[in-house]
Amino acid sequence: MKKNKVLSATYFQQEDVVGMAKDLIGKVLVTEFEGKKTSGIIVETEAYTGINDKAAHSYDGKRTARTEVMYQPGGVSYVYLCYGIHHLFNIVTNKKDIPQAILIRALEPLEGIPVMMQRRKKVKADYSLTRGPGSVAGALGLNRNHSGLILGKAPIYVEDRGIIIPSAAICSGARIGVAYAGKDALLPYRFWAIGNPYVSK
DNA sequence: GAGTAGATCCTCT
DNA sequence: GAGGATCTACTCA
């Protein structure tokens, strides 16, 4: 019986953001809000490498009230409202003052599926429940009030449940929805588990 | 099945 | 005042 290991903040303070984005595939993201526990296996991520990355909010060291959490030490949540509708959940990584983050794009639901369906106002469970970053945050009950929370304990944490995704089953490619970033949009900073139905097309 | 438009509100200029 | 790290539904074939 494998022991579930909660990833500590120091894990997220490594310098290899892209490597961590890949490593997070197969880990389990857990939230506990209003006494309701929801969790899912991370099956798709994107790395945002901060000041060098035109697609990141923190490009060129831009520092605003919104991006301030990205400058914190790794292991902090960054939740951002996009298009007035969707919340996107990120994990801040690297050391203090280095604004890098990993966007969680898709999960495979494990626990609390009825709660997720309720939050997403769905009557039947299908693959769209946690496919896409806006859906993930919605299903887990995250909103921008949860930005800046420390990961590693309730209500938000990431567990290693011993789920091994072989490197060969992880694909990488260009990111989605960041075409405005020019050539930076083509960087292979997106990772996903091959063949998983929850991964967006 | 593929392509396109609309929703909707916070944030920065 | 404009635009965004998106999703869904609807149209057309």
Side-chain angles (χ1 to χ4, degrees):
Chain A
M1 188 63 185
K2 286 239 178 194
K3 196 168 63 175
N4 295 342
K5 191 178 74 177
V6 175
L7 299 184
S8 67
T10 51
Y11 170 85
F12 295 108
Q13 286 163 21
Q14 296 176 66
E15 294 179 13
D16 183 8
V17 181
V18 176
M20 273 187 284
K22 184 177 181 182
D23 196 47
L24 281 175
I25 302 285
K27 299 293 190 295
V28 177
L29 176 64
V30 187
T31 65
E32 294 178 19
F33 293 122
E34 301 158 358
K36 294 167 183 162
K37 182 172 182 176
T38 49
S39 68
I41 304 168
I42 297 168
V43 294
E44 187 178 359
T45 63
E46 277 181 18
Y48 284 83
T49 59
I51 59 175
N52 299 318
D53 186 355
K54 280 202 183 78
H57 293 151
S58 51
Y59 170 65
D60 202 23
K62 194 165 66 167
R63 190 160 186 154
T64 67
R66 183 181 65 174
T67 62
E68 193 60 30
V69 284
M70 293 183 78
Y71 290 83
Q72 295 194 32
V76 175
S77 65
Y78 174 49
V79 185
Y80 157 70
L81 178 64
C82 183
Y83 294 92
I85 305 173
H86 304 289
H87 295 278
L88 308 185
F89 174 68
N90 302 254
I91 299 173
V92 176
T93 63
N94 216 314
K95 301 192 187 337
K96 182 170 158 49
D97 294 328
I98 302 180
Q100 300 184 329
I102 297 170
L103 170 67
I104 307 301
R105 291 194 56 88
L107 295 179
E108 181 176 335
L110 282 182
E111 298 158 280
I113 293 176
V115 178
M116 295 187 198
M117 286 168 55
Q118 196 177 7
R119 284 169 177 160
R120 306 266 352 266
K121 297 184 171 53
K122 283 189 162 297
V123 283
K124 67 181 179 66
D126 61 19
Y127 293 140
S128 69
L129 191 60
T130 53
R131 179 174 58 201
S135 305
V136 170
L140 294 180
L142 290 159
N143 61 55
R144 61 197 184 80
N145 295 327
H146 303 125
S147 193
L149 296 180
I150 308 283
L151 276 65
K153 57 180 170 47
I156 307 174
Y157 52 97
V158 178
E159 279 184 352
D160 182 353
R161 297 194 179 178
I163 299 166
I164 306 294
I165 310 270
S167 225
I170 299 176
C171 203
S172 66
R175 291 172 295 184
I176 291 178
V178 293
Y180 63 87
K183 70 176 173 53
D184 285 348
L186 303 176
L187 294 169
Y189 286 171
R190 173 172 170 249
F191 299 92
W192 68 94
I194 294 173
N196 190 294
Y198 290 94
V199 174
S200 44
K201 298 185 292 198

